[in-house]
């Protein structure tokens, strides 16, 4: 897959325009909208770091950790057009010392773990060069 | 408005990791509250139980479980679960029952037995469950605490020393509290030397999971007066409001906030105490003391602002000026807070109410806040739950 084309797919309400992520929404959650029709839409693949942290200890299941466990960093990223914040890991190798609040990041794909020969892939945030 | 409802008695089982059945903690707390109230169990007309999710069926029907353990006597029962706000929601139900004239005296109980370590989601593959999704992505409870802590550092100049100071303060407060689990004083250096869990938060700054039980006996003012009770504490207001769309808070268990593309953005946590203040007819400037949810040391700073003790961005100054210590202008977490208790989810909001009750009566011993007249609690948990209770002397 071409990295430049990597997007998160969300849902957008056909009536009021509110975005949802994850996109598995059946009824619009905007209290002033009673729509139940949505478009699957690509979300902005760039955003601004709202805050960030890391995980120094192995989380419990269903997290699938590498053995030995490798700490990873996490960012909450604000998308301007959608006016929402989405959480995700920062790309492998990026630590909390490499980022600041307000920094621009972009979406990438990364294999989180491999099980029974299958790669389980997730989105990660990569600081923009 | 409707008639006044008062707290007649409060009781707790000490927090800890005792490894016993949650029912034992609940009944211990209930009996203590009944004794404190001078009310016989058989006079209780309504029991509101806070449910626990990790103790099988008896936990799901806690109101009945506690009633049976105290001895079936024909009282009405209800059980509710509202994550960290469970105790306040149970209290609100008991208050409403009394306000409606359907009963005069009620018992509210919450208790929990917790597992070690992280509060993990239920087993199984459940990709439709946001709680499951976030753990799959490696986003645990401390992740959320730390995102807020880091943001305070970047926006308001909070320091690691500020966060450690809160732990030190609360440890001093809780040192003499017989109900607290951790009664040990710390120095800032000791806190900063504890292992980093989720930057910038360290092990001694993150709330543990505990066993514990708390209970209160509530009654109509008329009932309390007939009983001749001289130690009544009035329930001024209770808030268990939901968030408003679009909620801009980064909240467990969601991996995304609401989109404000077509709506205004609201802060949920800042809205919680507002309704309780309005019901009580008091404002934050009248508050003598507060019990708030220090799930992390840093989160206590956010709460100073959520309950209106200072404007947004000024919490560090409040802390550094010593305003929130016992002896300061408005002591926060005189009980020792979650730093000294750890969290026993369905009991915790009631534990906050128990502490305020003791304080407003002037019965809090070494940790007594002088001339305490107005107390407020603030707490917040998963799935849009939060609560605030205002108590008045």
């Amino acid at each position: 897959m071409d990295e430049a084309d990597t997007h998160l797919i969300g849902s957008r309400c056909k009536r009021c325009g509110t975005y949802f992520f994850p996109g598995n929404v059946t009824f619009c959650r905007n209290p002033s909208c009673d729509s139940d029709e949505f478009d699957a839409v690509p979300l902005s693949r760039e955003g601004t770091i709202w805050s960030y942290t890391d995980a120094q200890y192995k989380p419990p299941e269903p997290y699938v950790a590498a053995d030995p466990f490798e700490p990873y960093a996490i960012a909450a990223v604000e998308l301007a057009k959608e006016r929402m914040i989405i959480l995700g890991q920062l790309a492998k190798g990026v630590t909390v010392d490499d980022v600041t609040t307000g920094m621009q990041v972009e979406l990438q794909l990364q294999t989180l773990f491999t099980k029974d020969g299958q790669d389980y892939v997730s989105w990660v945030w990569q600081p923009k060069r | 408005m409707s008639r006044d409802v008062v707290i007649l008695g409060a009781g707790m089982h000490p927090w800890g990791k005792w490894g016993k059945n949650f029912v034992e903690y609940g009944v211990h707390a209930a009996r203590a509250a009944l004794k404190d109230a001078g009310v016989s169990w058989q006079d209780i007309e309504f029991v509101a139980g806070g449910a626990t999710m990790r103790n099988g069926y008896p936990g799901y029907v806690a109101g009945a479980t506690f009633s049976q353990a105290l001895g079936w006597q024909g009282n009405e029962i209800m059980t509710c679960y509202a994550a960290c706000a469970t105790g306040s929601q149970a209290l609100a139900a008991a208050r409403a029952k009394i306000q409606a004239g359907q009963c005069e005296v009620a018992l509210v109980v919450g208790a929990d037995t917790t597992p070690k370590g992280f509060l993990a989601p239920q087993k199984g593959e459940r990709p439709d469950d946001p709680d499951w999704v976030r753990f799959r992505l490696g986003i645990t409870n401390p992740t959320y605490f730390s995102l807020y802590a880091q943001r305070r550092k970047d926006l308001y100049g909070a320091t690691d020393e500020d966060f450690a100071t809160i732990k030190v303060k609360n440890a001093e407060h809780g040192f003499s509290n017989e109900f607290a689990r951790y009664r040990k004083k710390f120095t800032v250096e000791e806190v900063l030397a504890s292992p980093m869990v989720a930057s910038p938060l360290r092990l001694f700054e993150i709330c543990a999971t505990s066993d514990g039980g708390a209970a209160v006996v509530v009654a109509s003012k008329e009932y309390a007066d007939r009983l001749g009770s001289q130690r009544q504490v009035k329930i001024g207001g209770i808030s268990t409001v939901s968030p408003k769309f679009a909620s801009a808070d980064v909240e467990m268990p969601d991996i995304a906030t609401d989109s404000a593309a077509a709506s205004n953005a609201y802060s949920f946590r800042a809205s919680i105490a507002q309704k309780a203040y309005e019901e009580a007819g008091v404002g934050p400037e009248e508050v003598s003391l507060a019990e708030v949810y220090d799930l992390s040391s840093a989160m206590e700073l956010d709460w100073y602002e959520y309950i209106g003790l200072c404007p947004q961005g000024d919490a560090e100054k409040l802390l550094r000026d010593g305003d929130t210590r016992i002896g300061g202008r408005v002591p926060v977490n005189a009980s020792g807070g979650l730093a000294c208790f750890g969290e026993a989810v369905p009991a915790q909001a009631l534990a906050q109410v128990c502490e305020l009750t003791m304080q407003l009566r002037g019965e809090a011993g070494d940790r007594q806040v002088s001339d305490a007249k107005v107390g407020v609690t603030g707490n917040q948990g998963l799935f849009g739950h939060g609560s605030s209770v205002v108590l008045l002397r």
Side-chain angles (χ1 to χ4, degrees):
Chain A
M1 198 180 296
D2 182 357
E3 281 287 337
D5 288 336
T6 303
H7 288 276
L8 290 175
I9 305 293
S11 293
R12 185 166 190 256
C13 175
K14 282 189 174 183
R15 187 170 306 161
C16 75
T18 297
Y19 293 88
F20 295 92
F21 183 80
N24 54 344
V25 58
T26 317
F27 303 99
C28 185
R29 294 179 193 160
N30 176 352
S32 54
C33 178
D34 63 359
S35 163
D36 55 8
E37 292 184 302
F38 301 88
D39 292 317
V41 294
L43 302 181
S44 304
R45 56 182 310 280
E46 293 181 9
T48 309
I49 291 185
W50 180 84
S51 190
Y52 55 95
T53 180
D54 59 15
Q56 298 284 345
Y57 287 86
K58 190 171 107 176
E61 288 176 8
Y63 184 72
V64 180
D67 191 21
F69 171 70
E70 291 172 40
Y72 54 90
I74 298 162
V77 174
E78 211 163 4
L79 306 185
K81 186 178 70 171
E82 294 83 355
R83 297 189 65 200
M84 69 196 299
I85 295 168
I86 294 183
L87 274 55
Q89 291 193 14
L90 281 155
K92 204 168 276 183
V94 178
T95 74
V96 291
D97 297 329
D98 302 322
V99 293
T100 56
T101 295
M103 183 182 271
Q104 293 298 113
V105 291
E106 63 185 343
L107 201 77
Q108 277 186 1
L109 290 180
Q110 184 176 293
T111 301
L112 281 188
F113 62 94
T114 304
K115 191 178 168 189
D116 302 331
Q118 193 184 342
D119 285 344
Y120 286 78
V121 172
S122 179
W123 71 92
V124 292
W125 299 106
Q126 170 74 49
K128 284 191 75 174
R129 284 173 279 272
Chain B
M1 214 182 106
S2 45
R3 58 184 186 158
D4 285 345
V5 177
V6 300
I7 293 178
L8 263 180
M12 295 170 76
H13 183 287
W15 263 230
K17 214 71 171 176
W18 310 109
K20 296 179 189 167
N21 192 307
F22 79 98
V23 185
E24 200 170 318
Y25 311 136
V27 171
H28 176 102
R31 287 194 166 172
L34 288 163
K35 191 175 172 202
D36 185 48
V39 171
S40 152
W41 157 240
Q42 296 196 64
D43 290 336
I44 294 290
E45 298 165 278
F46 179 64
V47 170
T52 162
M53 291 297 114
R54 294 176 185 82
N55 294 278
Y57 213 117
Y60 306 148
V61 294
T65 299
F66 295 134
S67 295
Q68 183 190 32
L70 285 157
W72 293 130
Q73 50 96 348
N75 55 282
E76 288 194 276
I77 50 180
M78 72 83 75
T79 302
C80 71
Y81 189 71
C84 304
T86 297
S88 303
Q89 233 177 55
L91 181 64
R95 182 184 67 151
K97 194 94 171 158
I98 295 166
Q99 281 175 331
Q102 292 181 0
C103 77
E104 294 296 321
V105 59
L107 173 69
V108 186
V109 193
D112 207 0
T113 301
T114 55
K116 258 189 97 168
F118 287 103
L119 288 177
Q122 285 176 25
K123 300 275 183 215
E125 296 274 313
R126 292 192 320 286
D128 285 341
D129 173 357
D131 205 35
W132 184 92
V133 171
R134 57 134 175 169
F135 272 95
R136 172 69 102 186
L137 293 170
I139 293 169
T140 62
N141 296 12
T143 302
Y144 295 86
F145 311 157
S146 291
L147 288 172
Y148 277 91
Q150 183 62 49
R151 196 164 160 83
R152 286 209 79 88
K153 288 183 77 170
D154 289 358
L155 259 59
Y156 308 128
T159 63
D160 290 347
E161 286 72 23
D162 288 331
F163 300 156
T165 299
I166 289 185
K167 171 70 175 188
V168 171
K169 168 183 79 73
N170 289 347
E172 276 173 20
H173 287 177
F175 184 69
S176 63
N177 188 344
E178 61 182 306
F179 301 115
R181 173 179 174 188
Y182 301 107
R183 276 175 283 164
K184 177 183 182 312
K185 291 186 185 178
F186 287 91
T187 64
V188 168
E189 293 70 29
E190 283 168 339
V191 177
L192 292 179
S194 68
M196 191 69 85
V197 172
S199 306
L201 294 175
R202 295 171 164 85
L203 187 62
F204 292 168
E205 298 176 320
I206 294 173
C207 168
T209 59
S210 291
D211 298 358
V216 291
V217 173
V218 289
S220 68
K221 174 106 179 66
E222 295 78 16
Y223 183 95
D225 287 344
R226 276 203 304 277
L227 210 66
S229 167
Q230 302 296 312
R231 295 154 68 241
Q232 307 171 24
V233 170
K234 183 181 162 184
I235 300 177
I238 304 176
S239 167
T240 59
V241 294
S242 83
K244 273 174 83 172
F245 194 90
S247 176
D249 292 347
V250 173
E251 267 328 347
M252 290 185 281
D254 295 321
I255 56 165
T257 62
D258 291 339
S259 150
S263 319
N264 292 320
Y266 293 97
S267 164
F268 170 46
R269 295 182 194 167
S271 73
I272 296 171
Q274 241 168 41
K275 186 207 166 213
Y277 282 135
E278 278 165 23
E279 273 188 13
V282 298
E285 63 287 347
E286 292 164 80
V287 167
S288 321
L289 80 162
E291 287 284 312
V292 302
Y293 239 43
D294 54 325
L295 287 167
S296 80
S297 57
M299 197 176 287
E300 185 176 300
L301 292 169
D302 293 327
W303 274 108
Y304 294 172
E305 298 166 4
Y306 298 149
I307 62 170
L309 300 184
C310 65
Q312 196 168 345
D314 284 2
E316 286 76 10
K317 183 176 183 325
L318 212 64
L319 173 74
R320 291 169 196 166
D321 289 351
D323 284 8
T324 55
R325 291 177 175 281
I326 293 175
R329 184 172 64 78
V330 53
V332 175
N333 286 334
S335 68
L338 295 177
C340 293
F341 275 75
E343 192 182 18
V345 176
Q348 210 65 44
L350 284 177
Q352 294 182 317
V353 169
C354 288
E355 173 67 14
L356 291 187
T357 301
M358 288 182 258
Q359 290 281 355
L360 294 180
R361 288 167 166 179
E363 296 173 359
D366 289 347
R367 63 182 194 284
Q368 180 64 46
V369 172
S370 62
D371 201 30
K373 290 197 174 76
V374 178
V376 62
T377 74
N379 89 5
Q380 186 262 336
L382 301 138
F383 288 94
H385 288 111
S387 71
S388 175
V389 178
V390 172
L391 297 185
L392 309 168
R393 188 172 74 190

